[in-house]
Amino acid sequence: LPNGSRVFVVEDKRTPLVSFTVSVRAGTLFEPGDKRGVAELVSASLQEGTKSYTADQIAELLDRTGASLSASAGAERTTVTLSCLVDDADELLPVLYETVYAPVFPADKVARVRTRAVAGATARKS
């Protein structure tokens, strides 16, 4: 693409499903030593709202269409994936776009995600 991004298309006409994955070079290896866990916190918070969609609107849209939107942080990459029916792609692609390029990270929602992450880490440590 003109912005330097690479697009890969793998076509399989056996199913009416489509998956879109956006992967950016931002993972746990790029975290400053005093900010461990920030990549995972950011990826877990991406669905908590965007410039145009609240977390509830995103959840309702995904629920209504049976689509899934997920984000994860790995060592070198943060990845956001949307899977949906081909017929719903035009309606859902703007949500994927804003999840990646216009998240808002509402403080109350991020605090809730952080609390869950801390509780999970504590449980794993036990």
Side-chain angles (χ1 to χ4, degrees):
L1 298 178
N3 67 0
S5 298
R6 288 183 282 174
V7 176
F8 300 94
V9 177
V10 179
E11 192 170 11
D12 182 352
K13 293 190 181 240
R14 294 177 294 175
T15 66
L17 302 173
V18 63
S19 291
F20 302 94
T21 300
V22 178
S23 182
V24 294
R25 190 170 183 234
T28 57
L29 290 177
F30 302 101
E31 297 174 336
D34 62 336
K35 303 286 185 191
R36 307 271 312 159
V38 74
E40 290 179 21
L41 180 64
V42 167
S43 69
S45 299
L46 284 173
Q47 292 184 57
E48 298 300 332
T50 71
K51 185 173 67 173
S52 303
Y53 301 93
T54 66
D56 290 338
Q57 288 171 319
I58 293 170
E60 186 279 325
L61 186 57
L62 295 173
D63 198 43
R64 181 173 52 78
T65 60
S68 67
L69 180 66
S70 62
S72 63
E76 296 180 14
R77 301 242 174 246
T78 295
T79 303
V80 182
T81 301
L82 168 68
S83 296
C84 63
L85 292 171
V86 170
D87 292 344
D88 296 325
D90 288 344
E91 182 178 16
L92 291 165
L93 274 172
V95 176
L96 174 63
Y97 175 85
E98 284 204 16
T99 298
V100 174
Y101 292 104
V104 292
F105 302 108
D108 60 327
K109 304 278 188 187
V110 172
R112 186 183 68 199
V113 169
R114 184 180 184 281
T115 299
R116 279 196 315 251
V118 169
T122 302
R124 283 189 304 276
K125 187 176 180 180
S126 306

